[in-house]
Amino acid sequence: MPKSLLVANGIGQFEMERELRRQICKTGQKMYTHGFVVACEGNLSVRLDRDRILVTPAGACKGHLGPEDLLVTDLNGVVLCGTRRPSTEMLMHLLYYRLRPEVRAVCHAHPPIATGFAAAGRALEEAVLPEVIVGLGKIPLAPYGTPGTWELCAGLESLAMEFDAILLENHGVVTCGQDLTTAYQRLETVERFATILLTAESLGGPRLLPHAEVQKLIATRPRYGVSSLEGTAELPLTCETLVDRADRNPSCFLAARPRGRPARRKLHGTSSQETIRLGLDHPRQFGS
C-alpha cells in the first residue's frame, strides 16, 4: 500500500477512536443523568476493530468520565492503552464481541424499574407494546451469576446469541447494538417498557396482544431496518400463551399471576469452554 494511504488510514483510525471516546463519555453522562446508574455503577464499550475494544474503567462514575480515562484492550481483556483497570464487567462485554461479530457496542446499567423486575425474577416478555415487539421481540431474564465473573457469562451466553436486551437477575440490564447510540436507546426502551408494564399492572394488568398481531408486527421489521431472527424463540408471550398455561394449571397459574402475569420461568444458559477460559486466563485484569 502506498505510504500516503497508510498515513491517511492511520489518521482516520485516530479520528475514529477520538470520536468514539467522546461518544462513550456523552453516553455515560446520559446514563448518570437519567438515573440508570449512580456512583460507579455501569459500564460501556465499543468495538474499535476486529481485535480491539474501547471500554470504561473500573471504579469510575460514568457521569464524570473524560476521553483520556478510557482503555483499549484486546479480546482477551489485556490492556493495550491506558493506565487504569478495565470495567469489572469486562467479561460480559467480551462475551458479546466473541459471540456476535456484528455487535459494535455494549451497555450495562441498573435502571431502577427494569432492575426491579430483574430483582423480582421476572422477564419483560409480555406482548404489550408494538414498538418493543418490533425492536426487541422480548426481554428475557438471565439467571443470576456473581458480577464480574465467568459465572455470570455462563448464564448469559445462550441468550446473548438471540437477544439484544437482557435482564440480569438481581443485577441490572445489558444491551448491545451495531453502534453505541443503538445500544443506549435499547437501554432506554427497556426501562420505559418496565415502567409502563408496572403501571398497567397497578391498573389491573396489561392486555396482551394475540399471536396474529405479534406476527404482523414482526413482519414489519425490515421496514424499520430491524433484522429478524429465524424461528420463534424471540417472540413474546401472547394472550393465547397465557390461556394455554391457565388451562394446563389453572389453580396455580390464576392464583399466582392474575390478569395475565406469567409465572416465573428460570432460564439456564450453558457455559462454553471458551467462556470459562475467559474467566480463568486473565483473573487479574478485572478489578473488584
Side-chain angles (χ1 to χ4, degrees):
M1 181 181 293
K3 183 177 180 180
S4 59
L5 290 181
L6 286 172
V7 173
N9 287 341
I11 294 174
Q13 290 176 357
F14 175 78
E15 292 297 331
M16 179 194 71
E17 181 176 328
R18 187 167 70 172
E19 172 61 18
L20 290 174
R21 285 175 180 267
R22 187 191 67 81
Q23 288 181 18
I24 285 182
C25 293
K26 184 176 180 180
T27 302
Q29 290 170 0
K30 287 182 182 179
M31 287 169 53
Y32 186 72
T33 300
H34 293 165
F36 293 173
V37 293
V38 298
C40 299
E41 293 178 348
N43 31 79
L44 298 157
S45 72
V46 297
R47 187 194 292 268
L48 290 175
D49 52 42
R50 186 182 63 181
D51 302 315
R52 301 181 305 145
I53 69 169
L54 186 64
V55 65
T56 52
C61 176
K62 304 309 168 293
H64 302 131
L65 284 175
E68 69 281 357
D69 295 322
L70 307 181
L71 306 168
V72 177
T73 77
D74 64 16
L75 290 185
N76 288 317
V78 176
V79 176
L80 303 176
C81 179
T83 59
R84 305 179 69 169
R85 292 177 300 163
S87 167
T88 55
E89 297 292 2
M90 185 70 171
L91 288 174
M92 180 166 60
H93 293 252
L94 294 177
L95 177 72
Y96 271 96
Y97 295 127
R98 284 170 171 260
L99 290 177
R100 296 177 56 179
E102 83 281 6
V103 167
R104 309 290 298 183
V106 177
C107 294
H108 167 56
H110 305 156
I113 307 301
T115 302
F117 275 84
R122 287 197 49 195
L124 295 169
E125 54 186 356
E126 294 92 338
V128 176
L129 300 179
E131 296 81 4
V132 175
I133 295 169
V134 171
L136 296 174
K138 66 178 181 180
I139 301 135
L141 176 72
Y144 179 77
T146 304
T149 70
W150 69 263
E151 186 182 76
L152 182 149
C153 294
L156 182 64
E157 183 178 7
S158 61
L159 295 174
M161 288 292 294
E162 296 186 39
F163 299 98
D164 295 326
I166 300 170
L167 298 187
L168 306 172
E169 189 172 27
N170 292 93
H171 189 170
V173 181
V174 61
T175 61
C176 66
Q178 69 269 25
D179 52 51
L180 190 56
T181 297
T182 301
Y184 174 73
Q185 288 177 345
R186 285 169 174 164
L187 188 65
E188 287 188 326
T189 297
V190 171
E191 179 66 356
R192 178 56 61 91
F193 181 29
T195 303
I196 291 173
L197 188 57
L198 185 63
T199 302
E201 292 192 349
S202 72
L203 297 172
R207 296 194 176 192
L208 274 60
L209 295 174
H211 181 78
E213 291 301 322
V214 170
Q215 290 286 13
K216 285 195 287 185
L217 289 169
I218 295 296
T220 68
R221 283 184 162 190
R223 185 192 313 168
Y224 298 101
V226 179
S227 61
S228 186
L229 302 175
E230 295 181 2
T232 59
E234 67 182 62
L235 298 182
L237 301 179
T238 63
C239 58
E240 293 93 341
T241 306
L242 299 182
V243 169
D244 179 63
R245 286 186 178 184
D247 288 343
R248 286 187 280 112
N249 196 356
S251 59
C252 175
F253 178 82
L254 293 177
R257 291 286 185 264
R259 291 298 301 269
R261 291 176 63 188
R264 175 177 173 178
R265 178 168 61 92
K266 185 75 171 181
L267 296 172
H268 296 279
T270 57
S271 63
S272 66
Q273 293 299 319
E274 180 88 334
T275 303
I276 295 174
R277 187 179 66 78
L278 275 175
L280 298 179
D281 278 1
H282 304 283
R284 296 184 182 178
Q285 288 294 323
F286 315 102
S288 60

